[in-house]
Structures are given as C-alpha cells and as structure tokens.
Amino acid sequence: MFDFLTEAIRNFRSTGSVWPSSPALSNAMTSTIARVEGPRRVLEVGPGTGPFTKSILKKLRAGDHFDLVEINQTFCRKLEKDILAGYRARHPNVQVRLHCAPIEEADLAGPYDVIVCGLPFNNFPPRLMRQIFRRMFALLKDNGELLYFEYAGVRAMKSPVSDSAGRARLKRIDAIGKSLRRRHEGKKQLVLANFPPAFAYRLKGGRKKAATSSKRA
C-alpha cells in the first residue's frame, strides 16, 4: 500500500488513483478469462501494484500465456518481486512475461483472448488514448474481449475545477469512450464495492476500428 501511495502522489497522471482497486473490481475485470476454453493468451496493460494481476493469476492454468505491460519501473520491480517470481516457481507450465515499457512500444506477439487494461484514461491526452486502444485492438482476437474501467462520475467532478482546455479534453475522452462502446458492442458494470465506485467496460474484438483511428485531438 505504501508503494502504491508513493507512486500515486509522484506520478498521478499515469497512476490515476491514490487507492488500489478492490477485489470486487478485480473480479469484474477478470471474470471473462474463466469462460475462455483451451490454452488462453491474456494481456494486462497497466497492472500497477497488481490487484488485477492477482485475480488473473488465480484463473490461469497449464498452457496459458500471460503478458503484463507496465511503464512504471517501481511497480515493475514490485510486481516481479512480490507476485510474479513466486508464481512462476509454483506454476512452471504457465508462461508469464513482464514488459517494463509503454504499451505502444512493448514487444508483444498477439493475438490475445483477453486484454485487461487498468490505465487511467481520464488523465491522458485524447490522442494517446486513441493510440493505446488502437494498439490493444490490434493485439486482440476477433472474438476476444478488452476490459477497462473508470471511476464513476470522474469527469463530472474534474470538469468544474478544470480550465477550458481541460474541459475540452475531458469531453473528447468521453466521446472516444462512447464511440468505442458503440463500435465494439460495449457493456458496462457498476462496481459499488470499490473506492471510489467504478464502471467496468467490456469491448469485443473484430468490430470496426474507426473509433481508434489517428485523428487530431
């Protein structure tokens, strides 16, 4: 917890919260994995200190492949030391790889059955949000599922204290999210047992990708 709070204060833009996600949100974000038959390929983007990672690892079985992409080096070291090294030793038949890099640059070989994304898109420039989703959909199977979340009411709370440029950015983030959900059969689940409450979104692969095209923000 101390490591998470320290990094959240230091790098709030890329961390997005001062409190790690709850087990309830973790379960909502990872439940799809158990429904995939055969050897699964799973990608987690922005695991932070690993609340979703722990839930994912519990669902993996022999023959599965799990990649994690995290830009924060402190979180990478903590993930490797506290979670991943021990898991690999206990489960040698599951391939687990941690990439300490931006998702746009990570050396990944898709396609993946499930992608779990914990990035705080409301803190990002719209252009970067598009780039990240474009990369994730390029890595997702046509029948795969991409999950991401956002805190309930976050834009409504940020907008009154933002300047005009900040409010315009938040509107673009909202518009991109709505467009993605329209084009990728988006579904949402409200998770009240999280601080703060959050929406978990599910998007399907294999739909039109125009919503993630590179347009100027």
Side-chain angles (χ1 to χ4, degrees):
M1 178 65 71
F2 179 76
D3 289 332
F4 186 90
L5 291 172
T6 300
E7 290 303 307
I9 294 169
R10 183 183 299 157
N11 298 304
F12 184 77
R13 177 176 171 181
S14 59
T15 305
S17 175
V18 294
W19 201 262
S21 299
S22 70
L25 180 57
S26 297
N27 289 335
M29 291 286 290
T30 62
S31 61
T32 296
I33 297 169
R35 298 195 292 268
V36 180
E37 298 180 355
R40 285 85 54 90
R41 292 178 56 82
V42 180
L43 171 64
E44 184 179 9
V45 181
T49 56
F52 299 162
T53 306
K54 294 175 183 176
S55 184
I56 292 170
L57 291 173
K58 290 177 182 178
K59 295 174 173 62
L60 298 181
R61 55 185 179 237
D64 287 349
H65 181 111
F66 180 31
D67 281 313
L68 305 88
V69 178
E70 171 59 55
I71 194 173
N72 186 297
Q73 293 186 0
T74 298
F75 286 161
C76 285
R77 289 191 292 269
K78 184 173 178 60
L79 284 165
E80 185 62 41
K81 177 178 178 290
D82 295 350
I83 301 176
L84 302 181
Y87 181 89
R88 289 194 196 93
R90 297 188 302 271
H91 302 85
N93 294 324
V94 178
Q95 185 174 354
V96 178
R97 297 191 305 166
L98 173 61
H99 309 260
C100 195
I103 179 60
E104 311 94 289
E105 302 172 8
D107 182 16
L108 300 167
Y112 293 92
D113 297 287
V114 180
I115 298 177
V116 176
C117 180
L119 296 178
F121 289 111
N122 281 294
N123 291 358
F124 289 6
R127 183 182 299 178
L128 178 58
M129 180 181 181
R130 292 193 191 95
Q131 290 173 348
I132 292 171
F133 271 103
R134 185 168 61 246
R135 180 80 200 281
M136 291 193 295
F137 276 115
L139 292 166
L140 184 66
K141 285 185 177 180
D142 284 349
N143 62 343
E145 189 166 271
L146 190 161
L147 299 100
Y148 74 103
F149 81 98
E150 67 178 14
Y151 298 116
V154 64
R155 285 184 294 276
M157 291 184 290
K158 282 188 171 187
S159 185
V161 296
S162 299
D163 58 18
S164 58
R167 288 191 292 272
R169 182 184 63 80
L170 290 171
K171 287 181 180 179
R172 291 300 306 142
I173 293 294
D174 183 46
I176 292 169
K178 289 178 178 177
S179 180
L180 285 166
R181 295 191 288 275
R182 284 195 303 269
R183 294 176 179 271
H184 293 275
E185 302 179 25
K187 296 180 181 179
K188 71 178 180 179
Q189 176 184 351
L190 176 61
V191 181
L192 292 173
N194 190 75
F195 182 75
F199 287 110
Y201 293 103
R202 303 170 183 270
L203 306 178
K204 293 291 186 180
R207 304 290 290 177
K208 295 179 181 178
K209 311 255 190 331
T212 58
S213 63
S214 180
K215 299 188 296 181
R216 293 188 65 86

